[in-house]
Amino acid sequence: MSKDTLSVTDNRTGKQYELKIENGCIRAMDLRQMKTDAEDFGIMAYDPAFQNTANTKSAITFIDGDKGILEYRGYPIDQLAEKSTHLETSYLLMNGELPTKAQLHEFTDKITHHTYVHENIKSFMDGFRYDAHPMSMLASTVAALSSFYPEAKQVRNKEVRRHQMTRLIAKMPTLAAFSYRHSQGLPYIYPNNDLPYAENFLTMVKSIGKPNWKAHPALVKALDVLFILHADHEQNCSTTSVRVVGSSEADPYSAVAAGITALYGPLHGGANEAVLRMLREIGDKKNVPEFIKKVKDKDGDKKLMGFGHRVYKNYDPRAKVIKKACDEVFEVTGKNPLLDIAVELERIALQDDYFVQRKLYPNVDFYSGLIYEAMGFPVDFFTCLFAIPRTVGWVCQYEEMINDNEQKIARPRQVFTGQRKRDYVAIDKR
Ligand code: ACO
């Protein structure tokens, strides 16, 4: 008869143990009973980069990496991208269910009326060098928000916490737009509360000299779809950073600032920026085979940026939607000349044994940069365009962690490999 347990024999002692299997997991703490003697600490699990460790139970986002499935609260990503809006999806992520008309109206109204930032934030932004990276500006100003809302420290008070979550979702486009305007030497444009979320952001970024400047509806729609695709992605590097920082009961602004800094890295959200630089470096379709060869030879640590994923071992479902969105954007902006190189890279890579065997497919960042560039965003602003929509994912995951009775301050163990017990040597004797 089958049982949901795992039998383990410790060959050091000959003792046998039966460990419970729940949701396909054993509890790492159950290993600690396995000791050689009473003094022994007990067995730990060693798992650098958490490759096979679940750190939490979560009901927000489901991914089946082998099948290429992504669902928010059970709804497939392609349906949300086609039929929903970023704010409706945000409500879904935060509350578990799609809103009624009245609920969506109330939620939209709340977000819309928290888009302004304290005037001192502008002076804070002015302090950055003219060429500061927009992601460093975004991370720092979000961290600074914590000093503007000291009540945010009441992380266990639901009403207060939800207020900060609203503020973060509402203010992130404003802060990102301000960081863009600063880096371009342009005056800051205040939010216009008559505009929907994505359009308001585009207007704060792009409008200049014309009070009635209007973003192209097809570009607004494409940006909103990109926002939906980026809203959450379960326990990725930045979300885990938010959870780890939040586990010390740091306020949501400080935790989200940590998420932004994690997202900044080129192996995570910074990949969209790296893809564009890579495509420019390749320069022409005819250079693709030579570039692929360098990647396979691991020449100078070259990687095919925008390819591969820790979880997806199949086509990233978000990349499929983005590829389609490219056509709609390019109809308005004209085709990005780098698209041909990207398509050729994908075509060759998907036929090549190196990529096939390692199950390396395009991820969300492979095509998103092409859209951002066609929309006229500078490359170093791309990751901010990821951080804006991911904010809702971060705050939902933060809240789920706070409400989870099993969670404690995050504190991994280590396997110590250094020297022990040495006597101090005076400097003239070394
Ligand atoms: N190009 C070439 N080879 C690759 C790539 C790539 N993009 N990604 C992985 N590989 C190779 C590795 O060299 C390794 O080869 P080996 O077995 O010969 O040593 C093998 O595939 C397994 O790769 P790992 O690095 O072990 O995979 P891991 O799960 O740790 O990394 C990651 C995932 C970081 C996304 C990786 O695929 C990568 O660096 N991709 C490029 C950067 C990128 O696009 N990041 C965005 C991810 S999506 C997101 O964060 C929003």
Side-chain angles (χ1 to χ4, degrees):
M1 202 184 68
S2 83
K3 263 165 95 183
D4 284 336
T5 60
L6 179 73
S7 296
V8 180
T9 307
D10 185 341
N11 293 322
R12 301 170 304 172
T13 57
K15 279 194 194 157
Q16 294 205 322
Y17 301 86
E18 194 171 342
L19 311 184
K20 216 166 131 193
I21 301 176
E22 202 188 334
N23 304 308
C25 299
I26 57 158
R27 287 190 175 253
M29 279 303 284
D30 284 352
L31 301 173
R32 284 274 283 280
Q33 58 183 309
M34 300 174 191
K35 300 177 181 217
T36 48
D37 55 48
E39 297 285 288
D40 186 17
F41 184 75
I43 289 181
M44 295 191 294
Y46 176 61
D47 185 14
F50 315 117
Q51 294 191 78
N52 196 37
T53 295
N55 171 46
T56 187
K57 292 178 182 162
S58 179
I60 302 173
T61 291
F62 173 81
I63 299 177
D64 183 328
D66 290 325
K67 298 201 179 107
I69 295 173
L70 169 61
E71 294 165 1
Y72 296 160
R73 301 284 191 186
Y75 293 97
I77 193 66
D78 52 322
Q79 288 188 27
L80 292 169
E82 189 188 333
K83 299 180 178 149
S84 186
T85 61
H86 180 60
L87 283 194
E88 186 186 58
T89 300
S90 300
Y91 182 98
L92 169 70
L93 286 165
M94 282 173 74
N95 300 292
E97 297 297 335
L98 285 166
T100 61
K101 260 190 191 162
Q103 286 166 334
L104 182 60
H105 179 78
E106 193 195 335
F107 181 71
T108 306
D109 194 65
K110 247 197 208 156
I111 299 288
T112 308
H113 288 94
H114 284 91
T115 48
Y116 271 62
V117 292
H118 194 287
E119 280 293 288
N120 288 3
I121 287 283
K122 282 197 321 185
S123 339
F124 187 81
M125 286 258 174
D126 286 338
F128 286 103
R129 260 176 69 124
Y130 68 97
D131 59 352
H133 195 288
M135 277 296 273
S136 339
M137 286 194 261
L138 192 62
S140 320
T141 42
V142 168
L145 284 184
S146 138
S147 68
F148 288 85
Y149 306 111
E151 73 275 18
K153 287 184 176 51
Q154 298 169 50
V155 299
R156 300 212 166 266
N157 178 325
K158 180 174 177 188
E159 205 184 317
V160 173
R161 188 177 61 239
R162 285 253 152 172
H163 198 171
Q164 317 316 316
M165 290 164 71
T166 303
R167 281 176 168 150
L168 272 159
I169 298 167
K171 294 182 198 313
M172 199 63 80
T174 313
L175 294 175
F178 280 16
S179 67
Y180 171 86
R181 304 289 292 200
H182 175 83
S183 60
Q184 302 293 309
L186 291 167
Y188 305 122
I189 302 279
Y190 286 101
N192 176 347
N193 290 350
D194 288 336
L195 297 178
Y197 193 76
E199 187 174 356
N200 194 10
F201 167 67
L202 261 185
T203 310
M204 285 188 280
V205 170
K206 295 276 177 182
S207 135
I208 178 157
K210 287 188 184 157
N212 295 325
W213 185 89
K214 193 105 188 83
H216 194 293
L219 301 187
V220 172
K221 173 73 190 141
L223 192 62
D224 203 56
V225 168
L226 285 165
F227 280 1
I228 293 170
L229 298 180
H230 287 90
D232 192 48
H233 212 232
E234 52 117 308
Q235 310 312 316
N236 54 80
C237 176
S238 56
T239 301
T240 300
S241 309
V242 169
R243 279 182 175 261
V244 168
V245 172
S247 76
S248 72
E249 303 203 348
D251 67 80
Y253 302 103
S254 307
V256 167
I260 297 173
T261 53
L263 190 70
Y264 191 2
L267 298 189
H268 190 12
N272 52 20
E273 188 176 332
V275 169
L276 247 281
R277 296 191 199 284
M278 173 189 75
L279 294 175
R280 284 184 188 156
E281 182 194 326
I282 296 172
D284 196 287
K285 239 169 96 170
K286 70 175 187 326
N287 302 329
V288 167
E290 190 196 336
F291 183 81
I292 295 259
K293 185 173 177 309
K294 281 189 187 157
V295 168
K296 285 162 47 178
D297 294 346
K298 303 196 192 284
D299 176 358
D301 271 348
K302 259 196 191 0
K303 275 188 174 178
L304 183 47
M305 299 311 284
F307 254 68
H309 199 276
R310 171 63 58 77
V311 179
Y312 292 121
K313 300 301 168 197
N314 198 324
Y315 215 98
D316 180 338
R318 301 167 299 174
K320 270 189 199 152
V321 180
I322 292 186
K323 214 174 161 187
K324 211 171 120 218
C326 277
D327 299 333
E328 284 147 29
V329 169
F330 295 162
E331 217 159 273
V332 178
T333 61
K335 197 173 91 176
N336 187 326
L338 297 175
L339 178 68
D340 288 341
I341 304 175
V343 169
E344 182 68 357
L345 263 178
E346 180 185 333
R347 190 185 69 77
I348 296 188
L350 293 184
Q351 292 173 357
D352 192 295
D353 270 358
Y354 174 96
F355 296 92
V356 173
Q357 277 166 11
R358 290 170 177 78
K359 299 190 177 169
L360 301 169
Y361 290 87
N363 59 48
V364 68
D365 290 317
F366 193 65
Y367 286 104
S368 60
L370 290 173
I371 298 192
Y372 297 148
E373 191 180 60
M375 283 181 167
F377 294 114
V379 173
D380 63 4
F381 191 56
F382 289 2
T383 315
C384 291
L385 297 163
F386 191 153
I388 294 170
R390 182 51 59 84
T391 303
V392 64
W394 288 330
V395 295
C396 290
Q397 299 270 353
Y398 175 96
E399 180 166 71
E400 193 180 58
M401 181 269 309
I402 290 283
N403 287 332
D404 183 345
N405 291 334
E406 279 199 295
Q407 291 295 334
K408 290 170 181 267
I409 186 166
R411 202 322 183 171
R413 297 278 174 178
Q414 67 170 7
V415 176
F416 182 72
T417 58
Q419 308 228 31
R420 293 279 328 275
K421 281 205 172 164
R422 297 203 279 175
D423 284 330
Y424 182 81
V425 181
I427 195 158
D428 53 344
K429 301 260 163 62
R430 286 174 217 161

